[in-house]
Structures are given as structure tokens and as C-alpha cells.
């Protein structure tokens, strides 16, 4: 029986998980068990499991015994805790990730040592486990010799036994999604590629069936909602506008065709579905900007009628684009990441690209008021890099160059070039990053390679976060405002998108002149290649509309640039810290009554995540004796220092002061004023 776990380092508390583990000094086989209680009543109920596994018969029972989760009829010992932590949550006893990893490694080592070896297996000399608290997986690293000669049910049962043992202990600290194994640095599919091929084929078939069914259900629901709640004239307008835009886009490529578009609106889900008919279906990652503008058009016209729209889905001949390109548009497996990853990639769109077949160098975005997105976004990237390094302490990489030297092929400054060519220069041997579509014959091939190069570079860097900065555009100058996108198939990235959007809203609207700047209520799901291909949390920020004169003026304003990028940085930082964006709010203050000549401290408690230093500002709402009350400002530099006011009643004069108090952080975010009353009275006259 294993009694307790040793201390895992100076200053760390022993970890008691209800079940506890340590390396036994006895010669007999190690086992998992519950810590025994010192009370006689618990000892009376504690019956050790002594029956040999062979008598039990099934592997299921062996798994239950190893996991310490034997069925009640087998008289499992009662789960008890050591007296000194009997009311302390297990998570409170974990000092850091390395301590948790040490516990899980110990459990994994014992579990691996217990299982019977299969044909071709040798006992793994290395057993190391770690817990990814972001993706919520345990990663177990073993020797390649632990790979069996064949893959089959016996091996799956063996893995299941080890899984049960690890998760039984680890999930007492954190809820986890499962266990992943690396054998000599590779997953099991490296050794049995035929298993991966079969799994991929089955998964693809399942995804296609799911997408087809979701598409049919979405059309049915949207049609029902449209018929019952949406003005048919609005539907007619949307279909006419969508058909006009799609047909013009196709005809611009010398294809004379009118493309029909069927539009439905699901009022309950606040979504538009545009189903484009025969004659137009883009390549993977193709026409992203056109499809974005089409979605903006449909949303803009609909919202003018008073209907709220949270997203726009675009299908092609009844199915999403992923149906036609399941391999090309599949979301790659997300990397297992820890919060300690101190790096980020900042990508500023777009830049010059070479257009085939005539190989001319062209901007990716049109001129707007004498400028264009390609050169508006890099200074925003500079500001975001500075803030991420100074405030978040991150190492920041850039997808585009900021050099003024000439790019030899185009004879244009490097800062004008898109990411594809910068990455070709930086990583000439990694053509798979910057030349990922070598066999593509379309004239926009290098445009799509540029889109793909940015997240592929982030994956190469093993960055912890990817932020793509863009400005939005439309054929009219009406739509405006800030939007943040995450990929619809990466719902795990939505909290990052919501955090960035929320904090940008807070800081931008705290600046004079931008109090009413338009910001979407929630983050939007999209299909951007930058977000899809990235294997880390990634979002795309549409800072403002360069096609709108008011937004364009904001994009040229250094105040707006700094405020918006402070919001992005703060959103990333709070997401990494597991904090939720909430309004900066000063809590209610009680009235105070004091004897003249005395003083009293008044704590200022608040909600939100202000950027320090924070200033406490007192202004006079009313003063019973003119001149006796004085407005003050006090600066607090240290977030660990409580914010409090030192209330005084000077001299011998009695009276009443009514104060109005706000807290203002260094970014200009200010709480709503809170009033309270201070009464100074003579002794015995309260």
C-alpha cells in the first residue's frame, strides 16, 4: 500500500489527491491505493484488495483495479483524505505545472510497468508525462521499443489500462479530454500508417455526411424562419444584390454568365444563408476578400431593417465549400500548448504580389482615399509588437518585412512586399511555407500562397498566438466599424476573439472622440485561411473600414492606432491568463461618519482589469462649508497594492461633504462615478 507522496521541491506542499502515489521501497509490485485514515472507524471499513488479477478474469476488472476504481461489490476501501487537507480542494495543493507533471509521470511510470508486454514490445526505459492545461490533454512520452509488432485490440486494451490509471489521478486536479502518446517522439500512426489512413477515410466520410446534413437542416430552418418572420421584399433585395455581385465577379474573369443566389434568414439564430447557384465555386482559400465583402453586403442591408445578424454562411450549390475540398480545407490538428509559450506572430495584411501569367506586381487591396490596406496595417503591427513585448513580455515575430531596402525581384521596398516573399527570403529552404501551391495554374496562385504562408510560418515558429491585422472594405462607403473573426471549425479560439473584441471596445471608446465608435457586439465566425491553418489560437482583426471616410480618418489617427492595439494586446494577455473581459466598475461606497480631528481608511473595490497605474479621483458633489472640501487625485502604481482613500476630518469644524469618485487607468478607461457622504461631527454628536 502506498501511503503518501514526497515533497516535490523546496517550499512546495505535498500533493494529496484523495489517492496519492509514491515509489514504493518494498519488493512487491506497486499498486494504486487510497490514503488510509488514522481514525479507527475508517480503518474498520478499509478492506485491502488482495485477490489476484488472474482470478478476476477480464481486462476490464484489471483496469478498474489499476485505476483504484473497483466496483462497490468488491468492497473498495473508502476514499479518505489526510487530516491536514481534509477540506482543501486538490487544485489548491498544486503549486505549479511542473509539480503536476511530476505526479502524472509517477502514475504513468507505474501503470506502464504493470501492463503485460505484447509481441514486439520491450519495457520502456523512458516514461515522461506532462499535462497541457490549455488543450487539457496528458502527453506521455515512451521509447519506440514500446510499440508492439501489430496494432490490434490487445494494444488498444493495454493503452486503455494506462489511460484509466493516469486519468483517475489527474482528473482529481483538472478535468481532462484524454491522453496522447508519443513513442520515440512520434505518435502511433507513424508506425502504423495504414491505421491513420483508415481513420482519416472514416473521418472524412463522417465529416461529409455531417456537413451535408447540417446544410440540409440549415436550409430547412432558415427557409422556415424566412417564410414566417422576414419581409419577402428584403429577401428579394438580398438575392438581387448577391446575384449582381457574384455575376459581376465572374464576368470580370471573362465568363459571361448570370449567377443566381438563394438567400434565407434564420431570425432565431441571427444568421443569413446565401446559396450560390451553378457557375461559381472558388478554389480553396480563393476569393476570400470578395466573399467577405459579399457577406458584409448581405448583413448591412439586413441590419438596416432592424434585424440583428451574428453571421453569414455562404454555400455553393447547396453545400459549404468544405464539402468540395475536404482535404484542402481541413483544420489541422491543433498543437498541444501551454500558457508558458511566450511568443506570438503578428501578421499585417496584405502587400504586393506577383500575378500570373504576365507576372506583374500588384497590390492586393484597392486604393481608398489615397491609401490602401496593404500599407495601413504595418504601422498597426509595429504598435502591437511594441505593446506585446512591453506589457505581455512576449517574443513577437512578424510575417512581413519593415525594411526600406529594395526587394530585388520587384525593385520595390521590402516593406511593401507581402509575407510570401519575405518568408522566401528568410527561409529559402522551406518552400513548403511560401510556395505551398507549386502546381496551381490559377493567376491568383501567389495571392493564395501569401494567405497560407502567414499561418504556416506561425506553425513553423511554434508561436503561442497568431494575430492577423486587416482593414475591411466595401464597394459603398456606408459600412463601418470593428470586427474580430475566429474560424468556425475552431470554436476553441472564440474566447480569444471575444477577449480581443471586448478589450478593443473598452479602450477605443475610452478615448475622446471615439466614445461611439462602432464595434460588433460579439466576435464573428468565419472561414479565413489564416485562422484555419494556424495550429495555435488565432484571430483576424478587421480594425475598421478603409472604404468609410470616418473609419479611414480613424485609421490615420495615432490615438486610435494606439488605443486599438492596446485593446488587442490586453485581449491576448487576459486570454493567456485565463481572465474574462468585464467592464471597469467601482463598487458602491458606504457613507462614513467621523469625529472631527480623526482619520479613516476607505477601501475602493472594483471589477474589471485596469491597466496600472490607476488614478483615484475625488471631486466635490456638495460641501456644507464652502472651501472646507478639497478635490484630490492619488496614483496607485502597484496592482498588488489595495486602492484605498484616507478620509480625514481636519481641525474642529463639523460639516458634511458629498464626494464623487472615479478610478481611471493609464489607458484612459474610467469607471462610472460613485457618490458617498462623509460626515464630520463633534465627539458624542454622531
Amino acid at each position: 500500500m502506498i501511503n503518501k507522496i514526497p515533497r516535490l521541491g523546496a517550499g512546495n506542499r505535498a500533493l494529496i489527491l484523495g489517492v496519492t502515489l509514491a515509489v514504493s521501497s518494498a519488493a512487491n509490485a506497486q499498486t494504486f491505493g487510497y490514503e488510509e485514515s488514522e481514525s479507527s472507524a475508517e480503518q474498520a471499513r478499509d478492506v485491502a484488495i488482495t485477490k489476484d488479477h488472474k482470478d478476476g478474469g477480464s481486462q476490464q476488472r484489471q483496469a478498474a483495479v489499476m485505476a483504484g476504481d473497483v466496483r462497490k461489490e468488491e468492497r473498495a476501501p473508502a476514499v479518505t483524505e489526510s487530516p491536514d487537507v481534509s477540506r482543501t480542494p486538490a487544485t489548491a495543493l498544486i503549486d505549479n505545472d511542473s509539480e503536476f507533471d511530476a505526479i502524472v509521470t509517477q502514475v504513468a511510470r507505474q501503470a506502464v510497468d504493470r501492463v503485460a508486454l505484447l509481441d514486439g514490445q520491450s519495457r520502456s526505459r523512458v516514461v515522461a508525462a506532462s499535462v497541457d492545461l490549455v488543450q487539457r490533454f496528458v502527453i506521455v512520452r515512451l521509447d519506440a521499443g514500446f510499440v508492439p509488432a501489430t496494432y490490434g485490440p490487445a494494444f488498444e486494451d493495454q493503452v486503455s489500462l494506462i489511460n484509466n490509471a493516469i486519468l483517475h489521478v489527474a482528473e482529481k486536479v483538472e478535468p481532462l479530454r484524454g491522453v496522447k502518446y508519443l513513442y520515440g517522439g512520434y505518435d502511433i500512426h507513424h508506425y502504423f500508417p495504414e491505421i491513420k489512413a483508415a481513420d482519416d477515410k472514416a473521418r472524412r466520410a463522417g465529416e461529409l455526411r455531417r456537413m451535408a446534413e447540417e446544410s440540409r437542416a440549415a436550409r430547412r430552418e432558415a427557409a422556415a424562419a424566412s417564410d414566417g418572420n422576414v419581409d419577402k421584399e428584403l429577401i428579394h433585395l438580398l438575392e438581387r444584390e448577391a446575384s449582381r455581385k457574384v455575376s459581376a465577379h465572374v464576368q470580370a474573369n471573362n465568363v459571361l454568365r448570370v449567377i443566381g443566389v438563394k438567400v434565407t434568414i434564420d431570425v432565431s439564430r441571427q444568421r443569413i444563408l446565401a446559396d450560390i447557384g451553378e457557375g461559381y465555386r472558388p478554389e480553396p482559400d480563393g476569393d476570400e476578400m470578395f466573399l467577405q465583402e459579399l457577406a458584409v453586403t448581405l448583413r448591412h442591408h439586413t441590419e438596416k431593417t432592424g434585424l440583428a445578424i451574428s453571421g453569414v454562411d455562404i454555400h455553393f450549390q447547396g453545400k459549404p465549400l468544405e464539402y468540395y475540398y475536404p482535404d484542402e480545407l481541413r483544420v489541422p490538428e491543433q498543437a498541444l500548448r501551454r500558457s508558458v509559450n511566450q511568443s506570438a506572430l503578428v501578421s499585417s495584411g496584405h502587400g504586393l504580389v506577383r500575378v500570373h501569367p504576365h507576372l506583374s506586381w500588384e497590390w492586393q487591396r484597392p486604393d481608398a482615399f489615397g491609401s490602401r490596406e496593404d500599407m495601413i496595417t504595418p504601422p498597426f503591427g509595429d504598435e502591437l509588437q511594441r505593446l506585446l513585448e512591453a506589457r505581455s513580455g512576449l517574443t513577437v515575430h512578424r510575417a512581413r518585412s519593415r525594411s526600406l531596402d529594395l526587394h530585388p525581384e520587384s525593385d520595390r521596398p521590402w516593406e511593401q512586399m507581402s509575407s510570401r516573399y519575405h518568408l522566401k527570403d528568410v527561409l529559402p529552404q522551406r518552400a513548403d511555407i511560401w510556395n505551398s501551391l507549386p502546381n496551381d495554374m490559377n493567376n491568383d496562385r501567389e495571392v493564395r500562397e501569401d494567405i497560407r504562408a502567414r499561418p504556416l510560418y506561425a506553425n513553423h515558429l511554434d508561436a503561442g498566438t497568431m494575430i492577423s491585422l486587416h482593414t475591411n472594405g466595401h464597394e459603398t462607403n456606408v459600412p463601418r466599424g470593428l470586427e474580430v473573426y475566429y474560424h468556425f471549425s475552431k470554436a476553441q479560439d472564440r474566447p480569444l476573439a471575444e477577449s480581443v473584441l471586448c478589450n478593443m471596445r473598452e479602450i477605443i471608446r475610452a478615448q475622446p472622440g471615439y466614445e461611439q465608435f462602432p464595434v460588433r457586439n460579439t466576435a464573428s465566425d468565419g472561414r479565413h485561411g489564416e485562422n484555419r491553418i494556424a495550429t495555435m489560437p488565432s484571430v483576424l482583426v478587421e480594425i475598421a473600414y478603409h472604404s468609410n471616410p470616418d473609419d479611414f480618418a480613424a485609421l490615420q489617427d495615432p490615438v486610435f492606432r494606439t488605443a486599438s492595439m492596446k485593446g488587442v494586446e490586453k485581449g491576448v494577455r487576459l486570454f493567456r491568463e485565463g481572465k474574462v473581459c468585464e467592464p471597469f466598475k467601482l463598487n458602491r461606497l458606504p457613507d462614513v461618519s467621523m469625529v472631527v480631528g480623526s482619520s479613516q481608511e476607505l477601501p475602493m473595490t472594483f471589477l474589471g482589469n485596469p491597466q496600472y497605474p490607476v488614478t483615484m479621483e475625488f471631486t466635490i458633489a456638495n460641501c456644507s462649508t464652502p472651501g472646507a472640501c478639497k478635490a484630490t487625485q492619488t496614483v496607485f502604481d502597484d496592482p498588488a497594492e489595495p486602492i484605498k482613500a484616507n478620509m480625514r476630518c481636519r481641525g474642529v469644524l463639523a460639516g458634511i461633504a458629498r464626494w464623487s469618485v472615479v478610478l481611471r487607468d493609464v489607458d484612459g478607461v474610467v469607471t462610472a462615478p460613485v457618490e458617498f457622504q462623509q460626515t464630520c461631527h463633534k465627539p458624542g454628536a454622531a
Side-chain angles (χ1 to χ4, degrees):
M1 178 68 73
I2 296 170
N3 295 318
K4 59 183 179 180
I5 187 164
R7 190 175 297 271
L8 294 177
N12 291 341
R13 294 163 291 186
L15 176 64
I16 307 294
L17 297 176
V19 287
T20 55
L21 299 171
V23 178
S24 174
S25 59
N28 62 317
Q30 298 173 351
T31 184
F32 298 93
Y34 295 95
E35 181 162 42
E36 298 174 0
S37 171
E38 296 180 358
S39 70
S40 59
E42 296 292 350
Q43 290 172 353
R45 293 197 303 269
D46 189 5
V47 180
I49 301 172
T50 57
K51 192 172 183 180
D52 190 277
H53 292 323
K54 294 181 180 179
D55 295 336
S58 68
Q59 288 181 324
Q60 288 81 359
R61 179 174 173 181
Q62 294 181 38
V65 173
M66 291 186 63
D69 194 18
V70 184
R71 291 186 293 271
K72 184 176 181 181
E73 58 266 28
E74 294 177 326
R75 302 186 66 192
V79 179
T80 61
E81 299 174 317
S82 65
D84 59 328
V85 293
S86 59
R87 292 181 176 83
T88 305
T91 51
L93 300 175
I94 296 290
D95 283 333
N96 49 51
D97 287 357
S98 62
E99 192 170 65
F100 195 8
D101 291 348
I103 295 294
V104 177
T105 294
Q106 191 171 336
V107 177
R109 184 175 294 115
Q110 292 180 337
V112 170
D113 287 346
R114 286 181 59 88
V115 297
L117 294 178
L118 305 175
D119 289 343
Q121 274 187 325
S122 60
R123 192 68 66 188
S124 183
R125 293 172 298 172
V126 174
V127 181
S130 59
V131 183
D132 188 300
L133 295 176
V134 176
Q135 297 295 330
R136 299 202 173 279
F137 272 98
V138 176
I139 305 97
V140 179
R141 295 169 176 81
L142 304 168
D143 290 342
F146 200 67
V147 177
T150 59
Y151 186 104
F155 178 62
E156 292 179 347
D157 286 347
Q158 184 188 71
V159 172
S160 179
L161 291 174
I162 302 173
N163 285 351
N164 290 341
I166 293 172
L167 294 177
H168 177 74
V169 173
E171 287 190 330
K172 290 178 178 291
V173 177
E174 290 285 345
L176 298 170
R177 295 168 58 191
V179 183
K180 294 189 176 184
Y181 295 85
L182 297 177
Y183 305 86
Y186 300 96
D187 65 19
I188 197 65
H189 292 140
H190 175 78
Y191 303 95
F192 300 102
E194 67 278 7
I195 300 298
K196 176 173 173 53
D199 289 348
D200 287 346
K201 182 177 180 180
R203 185 170 58 253
R204 279 197 297 270
E207 288 174 352
L208 293 178
R209 288 193 299 271
R210 176 183 57 79
M211 285 191 294
E213 178 55 35
E214 288 178 353
S215 176
R216 288 191 293 269
R219 289 199 305 274
R220 288 194 301 268
E221 293 174 5
S226 176
D227 291 342
N229 300 286
V230 180
D231 189 338
K232 287 182 171 53
E233 290 187 6
L234 171 61
I235 297 297
H236 177 70
L237 169 66
L238 297 179
E239 291 180 341
R240 185 184 65 201
E241 281 295 294
S243 176
R244 178 187 64 80
K245 288 182 68 68
V246 175
S247 299
H249 181 73
V250 170
Q251 292 166 12
N253 293 314
N254 299 318
V255 177
L256 297 179
R257 177 174 288 183
V258 175
I259 310 297
V261 181
K262 176 69 174 176
V263 176
T264 52
I265 301 176
D266 186 333
V267 176
S268 63
R269 296 175 58 233
Q270 299 183 341
R271 298 192 72 85
I272 298 173
L273 173 62
D275 189 3
I276 299 175
E278 292 286 346
Y280 173 65
R281 189 171 72 219
E283 296 290 321
D285 297 320
D287 288 347
E288 268 198 6
M289 288 177 281
F290 166 71
L291 295 174
Q292 171 94 352
E293 184 171 322
L294 175 61
V296 169
T297 297
L298 297 173
R299 189 185 68 200
H300 172 67
H301 284 299
T302 303
E303 290 184 334
K304 284 199 303 183
T305 69
L307 288 176
I309 297 298
S310 64
V312 179
D313 298 309
I314 299 179
H315 288 185
F316 302 86
Q317 299 86 61
K319 298 177 178 63
L321 203 58
E322 291 78 12
Y323 179 86
Y324 301 100
Y325 307 108
D327 294 326
E328 296 89 339
L329 297 180
R330 179 177 297 110
V331 175
E333 181 177 357
Q334 298 302 287
L336 298 174
R337 306 200 172 268
R338 288 178 174 270
S339 59
V340 295
N341 190 316
Q342 297 291 314
S343 65
L345 177 73
V346 173
S347 171
S348 304
H350 293 262
L352 288 166
V353 292
R354 184 172 53 186
V355 179
H356 294 251
H358 45 83
L359 303 182
S360 61
W361 295 94
E362 297 182 9
W363 297 107
Q364 295 189 54
R365 293 298 259 163
D367 177 88
F369 303 103
S371 186
R372 63 184 76 243
E373 176 185 357
D374 308 75
M375 295 308 296
I376 291 173
T377 57
F380 282 81
D382 296 341
E383 186 70 14
L384 180 56
Q385 177 178 359
R386 180 185 69 81
L387 290 163
L388 287 170
E389 291 172 344
R391 293 187 171 187
S392 292
L394 300 184
T395 298
V396 178
H397 305 273
R398 300 289 293 274
R400 287 176 64 182
S401 172
R402 297 295 281 134
S403 172
L404 296 176
D405 294 340
L406 295 182
H407 172 243
E409 293 181 69
S410 66
D411 203 32
R412 306 285 285 272
W414 270 107
E415 70 166 2
Q416 295 183 5
M417 307 307 299
S418 68
S419 301
R420 181 193 185 279
Y421 310 102
H422 171 59
L423 300 179
K424 177 182 178 181
D425 184 63
V426 173
L427 299 170
Q429 75 283 7
R430 291 299 304 274
D432 57 314
I433 292 178
W434 48 267
N435 190 35
S436 60
L437 302 172
N439 300 317
D440 193 309
M441 302 302 294
N442 292 290
N443 62 359
D444 67 342
R445 166 192 146 191
E446 295 192 19
V447 174
R448 289 185 290 126
E449 285 182 332
D450 178 46
I451 292 173
R452 295 170 54 82
R454 307 164 201 165
L456 289 173
Y457 182 47
N459 297 346
H460 164 75
L461 294 170
D462 192 32
T465 310
M466 178 177 174
I467 305 296
S468 300
L469 301 177
H470 292 269
T471 61
N472 223 331
H474 195 258
E475 62 182 349
T476 72
N477 64 1
V478 179
R480 61 176 308 217
L482 163 66
E483 303 169 12
V484 178
Y485 288 86
Y486 62 95
H487 195 269
F488 80 102
S489 288
K490 293 174 64 182
Q492 64 271 25
D493 289 0
R494 181 172 183 173
L496 172 60
E498 297 289 4
S499 182
V500 168
L501 182 70
C502 177
N503 285 284
M504 291 183 75
R505 179 191 299 113
E506 177 185 60
I507 298 178
I508 290 173
R509 289 182 174 176
Q511 312 310 310
Y514 293 102
E515 295 87 351
Q516 302 300 319
F517 188 82
V519 180
R520 299 293 296 180
N521 291 329
T522 61
S524 304
D525 58 351
R527 284 176 158 82
H528 301 89
E530 288 166 276
N531 287 340
R532 185 193 77 250
I533 297 171
T535 60
M536 69 291 299
S538 56
V539 296
L540 186 147
V541 182
E542 296 281 9
I543 306 167
Y545 279 76
H546 55 251
S547 52
N548 176 275
D550 293 327
D551 277 19
F552 182 82
L555 290 168
Q556 307 306 307
D557 183 0
V559 172
F560 178 83
R561 181 190 310 143
T562 298
S564 61
M565 294 302 98
K566 283 180 176 178
V568 175
E569 181 278 329
K570 188 173 181 180
V572 171
R573 174 159 39 93
L574 295 187
F575 169 77
R576 288 168 50 83
E577 295 173 353
K579 297 179 180 178
V580 177
C581 177
E582 58 181 341
F584 189 22
K585 177 185 177 183
L586 176 61
N587 292 327
R588 188 181 68 85
L589 297 171
D591 293 338
V592 295
S593 181
M594 307 163 55
V595 176
V596 294
S598 67
S599 64
Q600 175 181 327
E601 286 189 343
L602 181 62
M604 303 279 162
T605 62
F606 59 85
L607 303 176
N609 301 280
Q611 184 70 30
Y612 279 74
V614 170
T615 302
M616 177 179 65
E617 301 177 2
F618 270 63
T619 57
I620 305 164
N622 189 39
C623 188
S624 62
T625 303
C629 307
K630 181 182 179 181
T632 62
Q633 293 186 357
T634 307
V635 177
F636 295 82
D637 295 306
D638 186 359
E641 177 188 359
I643 297 179
K644 53 191 176 183
N646 189 7
M647 309 301 300
R648 290 190 178 93
C649 290
R650 296 180 182 275
V652 296
L653 185 65
I656 296 175
R658 187 152 191 87
W659 299 104
S660 178
V661 187
V662 299
L663 301 180
R664 188 184 308 274
D665 79 357
V666 72
D667 292 334
V669 180
V670 62
T671 66
V674 174
E675 292 191 5
F676 75 101
Q677 182 170 292
Q678 177 188 7
T679 301
C680 297
H681 60 85
K682 302 276 187 186

